[in-house]
């Protein structure tokens, strides 16, 4: 084989991921709250970005074409320098609000402030200090400090005594004090002890109930006959005591504020029904409306090639792409939501039984984008409808090969309704449920019924039976 150098000419295609394209993809994936934080971060890094105060604008009926930063759905390759910046600056100059006066018609608003309740530890320590328990405060505070978020003690009494160098008897007395505080059940070392501490909350409970708590594992496994034989009572009485136990709280500390931050769902899209038609609104009220800072107008209009102009050009390019990426996100969200609502209109009108099978490819083909774009636009986002708030992925339900093409969520709903209407003394088996669903044109196997039942948290036939 002869080895040598050669010169060849060939034509290839490459996909180059530009920084602007990466930014547009990142912005598309953000939820409303995440986008608000991202915009605030970009404003700190880019001095050309400014917030437009729409409340100061008296003419609120601007159309989409009023802002040159908004996309026209076409010319996707045009850059920020194709915009008429002189017209843009003039447009913004007209919208400059008056100087801010903090005392001019301003009133205190309390909507943004949320009251945080006391934590479990704070609640218990307050009771200890008020009651002035004649015992070592250090011991009581140490026990409280070692309770988890559910109210259970995470250390053994021996470990506590060793750490504080106290006798075991004193530690036991301290734990008894904690277990007598509100809420009942805190300081327990097991589920059985937690429920036992809460028995005073039950009026006229059966005398066998404290002993019954020793058979919680058998109860969970559905071995009611064994429990009845051990306690010498009937299976019906076992079920009655189980019903009493279910009224108690196995995690008494969870009703208090924990260490984790409470997160609220902010829908990215809102769907409202107006005169029989569904109107789609992209919820971007939390995202500041961006514009270009007027201070840099003179720097931009300079003709020399100074370092200042280069800096302004670089930041202007980044600002324009960010504004455009946000608008592109809004338009994509609207198109995706509109396509989903038109396909799932029967669900909005009649309920979950009418939810149709849907996948990303269906929506992508309808709005003319790639499946990955639909996936990014719907990831970790919520939509508020007259039926409630759902994740976008809820509407992309898989279906089975039935004649009606019903989605799995509709089959689960039908399964719940059938089980809710069954005779509790003779509940349906999974095979019987499969046959009933088949009569309703939902042909699924017994194993699939068992799988859906487990996903719905519905117990088996033996556990559902009432004596």
């Amino acid at each position: 084989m002869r080895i040598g150098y050669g010169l060849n000419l060939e034509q290839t295609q490459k996909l180059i991921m530009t920084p602007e394209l990466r930014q547009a993809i990142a912005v598309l994936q953000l939820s409303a709250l995440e986008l608000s934080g991202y915009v605030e971060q970009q404003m700190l890094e880019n001095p050309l970005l400014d917030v437009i105060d729409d409340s100061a604008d008296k003419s609120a009926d601007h159309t989409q074409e009023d802002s040159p930063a908004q996309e026209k759905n076409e010319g996707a390759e045009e850059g920020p320098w194709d915009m008429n910046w002189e017209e843009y600056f003039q447009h913004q100059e007209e919208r400059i609000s008056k100087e801010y006066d903090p005392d001019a018609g301003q009133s205190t608003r309390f909507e943004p402030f949320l009251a945080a309740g006391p934590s479990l530890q704070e609640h218990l320590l307050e009771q200890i200090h008020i009651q002035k328990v004649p015992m070592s405060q250090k011991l009581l505070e140490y026990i409280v400090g070692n309770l988890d978020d559910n109210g259970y003690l995470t250390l053994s009494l021996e470990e506590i005594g060793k750490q504080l160098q106290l006798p075991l008897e004193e530690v036991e007395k301290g734990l008894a004090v904690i277990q007598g505080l509100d809420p009942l059940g805190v300081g327990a070392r097991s589920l059985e002890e937690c429920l036992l501490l809460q028995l005073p909350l039950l009026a006229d409970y059966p005398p066998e109930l404290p002993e019954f708590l020793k058979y919680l594992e058998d109860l969970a496994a559905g071995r009611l006959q064994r429990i009845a034989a051990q306690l010498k009572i009937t299976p019906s009485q076992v079920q009655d005591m189980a019903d009493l136990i279910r009224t108690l709280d196995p995690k008494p500390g969870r009703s208090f504020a924990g260490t984790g931050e409470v997160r609220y769902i902010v829908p990215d899209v809102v769907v409202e029904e107006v005169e029989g038609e569904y109107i789609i609104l992209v919820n971007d009220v939390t995202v500041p409306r961006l514009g270009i800072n007027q201070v840099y107008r003179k720097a931009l209009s300079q003709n020399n090639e100074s370092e200042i102009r280069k800096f302004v050009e670089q930041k202007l390019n980044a600002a324009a792409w960010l504004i455009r990426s946000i608008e592109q996100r809004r338009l994509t969200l609207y198109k995706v939501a509109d396509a989903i609502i038109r396909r799932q209109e029967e669900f909005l009108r009649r309920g979950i039984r009418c939810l149709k099978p849907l996948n990303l490819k269906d929506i992508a083909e309808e709005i003319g984008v790639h499946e990955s774009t639909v996936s990014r636009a719907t990831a970790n986002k919520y939509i508020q409808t007259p039926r409630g708030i759902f994740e976008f992925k809820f509407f992309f339900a898989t279906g089975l090969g039935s004649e009606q093409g019903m989605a799995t969520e509709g089959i689960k709903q039908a399964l719940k309704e059938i089980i809710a209407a069954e005779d509790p003394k003779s509940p349906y088996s999974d095979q019987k449920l499969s046959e009933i669903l088949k009569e309703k044109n939902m042909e699924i196997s017994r194993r699939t019924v068992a799988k859906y039942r487990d996903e719905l948290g519905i117990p088996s036939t033996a556990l559902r039976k009432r004596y």
Side-chain angles (χ1 to χ4, degrees):
M1 176 187 290
R2 182 178 178 181
I3 301 177
Y5 294 98
L7 183 63
N8 297 321
L9 181 64
E10 64 178 20
Q11 185 177 7
T12 60
Q13 290 182 341
K14 292 184 179 180
L15 178 62
I16 301 177
M17 185 74 72
T18 62
E20 292 81 9
L21 181 57
R22 287 198 296 266
Q23 183 186 60
I25 292 175
V27 169
L28 181 61
Q29 295 181 113
L30 299 177
S31 64
L33 289 179
E34 292 171 338
L35 180 59
S36 178
Y38 179 79
V39 168
E40 292 178 0
Q41 179 63 32
Q42 292 298 313
M43 291 181 64
L44 294 176
E45 299 176 359
N46 193 340
L48 267 72
L49 288 173
D50 201 0
V51 177
I52 300 176
D53 186 8
D54 288 337
S55 61
D57 187 7
K58 301 302 182 180
S59 56
D61 54 345
H62 289 286
T63 60
Q64 182 178 348
E65 290 77 9
D66 286 339
S67 175
Q70 295 180 341
E71 188 186 11
K72 305 298 183 181
N73 290 333
E74 299 179 1
E77 300 299 328
E78 81 175 52
W81 294 106
D82 295 324
M83 301 180 184
N84 189 341
W85 288 106
E86 292 297 329
E87 180 183 350
Y88 178 78
F89 282 128
Q90 182 179 2
H91 173 77
Q92 282 220 350
E93 205 168 43
E94 296 172 356
R95 295 171 57 89
I96 297 178
S97 58
K98 297 180 180 180
E99 293 185 0
Y100 175 69
D101 183 3
D103 299 325
Q106 298 293 329
S107 59
T108 304
R109 296 181 60 189
F110 296 96
E111 289 86 347
F113 301 96
L114 297 175
S119 65
L120 175 63
Q121 284 73 19
E122 292 172 344
H123 181 67
L124 295 175
L125 291 176
E126 182 180 4
Q127 297 178 68
I128 293 174
H129 297 155
I130 291 177
Q131 295 179 10
K132 296 181 180 180
V133 181
M135 187 171 291
S136 171
Q137 295 288 316
K138 183 178 180 181
L139 171 61
L140 298 179
E141 292 175 358
Y142 190 84
I143 295 176
V144 170
N146 284 280
L147 299 179
D148 61 16
D149 291 339
N150 294 324
Y152 286 82
L153 184 61
T154 57
L155 294 179
S156 65
L157 299 184
E158 290 77 9
E159 291 175 318
I160 296 176
K162 183 179 180 181
Q163 291 289 336
L164 301 180
Q165 298 181 354
L166 294 174
L168 183 60
E169 294 78 8
E170 187 174 351
V171 177
E172 290 177 346
K173 293 180 181 178
L175 179 61
V177 172
I178 299 300
Q179 292 178 346
L181 300 178
D182 177 73
L184 290 180
V186 296
R189 291 156 288 181
S190 64
L191 176 61
E192 177 186 345
E193 184 178 15
C194 178
L195 298 177
L196 188 63
L197 292 171
Q198 298 180 59
L199 289 185
L201 299 175
L202 301 177
D204 301 328
Y205 59 84
E208 300 88 357
L209 192 55
E211 185 71 15
F212 171 76
L213 293 177
K214 298 180 180 180
Y215 301 94
L216 293 178
E217 293 185 4
D218 291 330
L219 178 64
R223 296 189 285 265
L224 303 186
Q225 298 286 356
R226 178 180 178 182
I227 300 175
Q230 292 290 334
L231 299 180
K232 298 179 181 181
I233 56 178
T234 64
S236 177
Q237 290 176 304
V238 172
Q239 287 186 330
D240 291 340
M241 286 192 291
D243 294 338
L244 283 176
I245 292 299
R246 292 188 181 96
T247 63
L248 303 178
D249 190 356
K251 299 177 180 179
R254 62 182 175 180
S255 59
F256 293 86
T259 56
E261 180 183 357
V262 178
R263 298 184 179 273
Y264 298 90
I265 293 178
V266 177
D268 296 87
V269 176
V270 178
V271 179
E272 297 181 354
E273 185 177 5
V274 180
E275 297 181 355
E277 295 184 1
Y278 292 102
I279 308 300
I280 300 173
L281 305 172
V282 178
N283 184 17
D284 54 1
V285 294
T286 60
V287 181
R289 185 175 178 184
L290 297 178
I292 304 299
N293 195 313
Q294 294 296 311
V295 176
Y296 292 87
R297 178 180 178 182
K298 292 183 179 180
L300 181 65
S301 61
Q302 290 178 357
N303 297 324
N304 56 3
E305 297 295 331
S306 63
E307 293 295 328
I308 297 178
R309 179 176 178 80
K310 292 181 180 179
F311 172 81
V312 173
E313 288 179 351
Q314 179 185 1
K315 293 301 182 180
L316 177 60
N317 182 67
W321 275 107
L322 177 60
I323 294 172
R324 183 179 178 187
S325 298
I326 294 175
E327 178 61 18
Q328 179 66 31
R329 172 190 178 274
R330 187 187 69 81
L331 292 174
T332 304
L333 269 180
Y334 177 85
K335 291 178 181 179
V336 171
D338 181 60
I340 292 175
I341 294 305
R342 280 190 279 106
R343 288 176 175 264
Q344 302 289 8
E345 186 173 346
E346 286 298 311
F347 158 74
L348 297 178
R349 298 191 185 279
R350 301 171 58 186
I352 196 171
R353 292 285 295 271
C354 298
L355 187 67
K356 297 179 181 179
L358 188 63
N359 54 45
L360 298 175
K361 184 178 179 181
D362 297 332
I363 301 301
E365 291 178 350
E366 181 170 342
I367 65 177
V369 297
H370 195 269
E371 291 181 43
S372 61
T373 302
V374 179
S375 177
R376 293 187 179 99
T378 57
N380 302 319
K381 295 182 180 66
Y382 292 83
I383 178 171
Q384 178 179 318
T385 71
R387 291 265 171 196
I389 298 179
F390 303 93
E391 277 193 271
F392 266 97
K393 68 179 182 180
F394 169 82
F395 294 96
F396 295 100
T398 57
L400 298 178
S402 59
E403 297 178 2
Q404 298 178 352
M406 178 174 288
T408 55
E409 293 296 331
I411 297 176
K412 290 181 181 179
Q413 180 64 24
L415 183 61
K416 289 172 60 178
E417 294 174 357
I418 294 172
I419 294 177
E422 69 182 0
D423 182 5
K425 294 185 178 181
S426 180
Y428 297 127
S429 64
D430 291 342
Q431 181 61 40
K432 182 62 176 178
L433 291 172
S434 176
E435 295 173 358
I436 296 175
L437 290 172
K438 185 177 180 179
E439 295 175 357
K440 298 178 178 292
N441 296 326
M442 307 176 202
E443 190 170 351
I444 59 177
S445 64
R446 181 196 62 80
R447 293 179 60 184
T448 306
V449 170
K451 173 186 175 183
Y452 288 171
R453 181 174 51 74
D454 290 339
E455 291 177 356
L456 292 171
I458 299 176
S460 62
T461 305
L463 296 179
R464 297 201 311 271
K465 184 177 180 180
R466 302 292 297 185
Y467 292 91

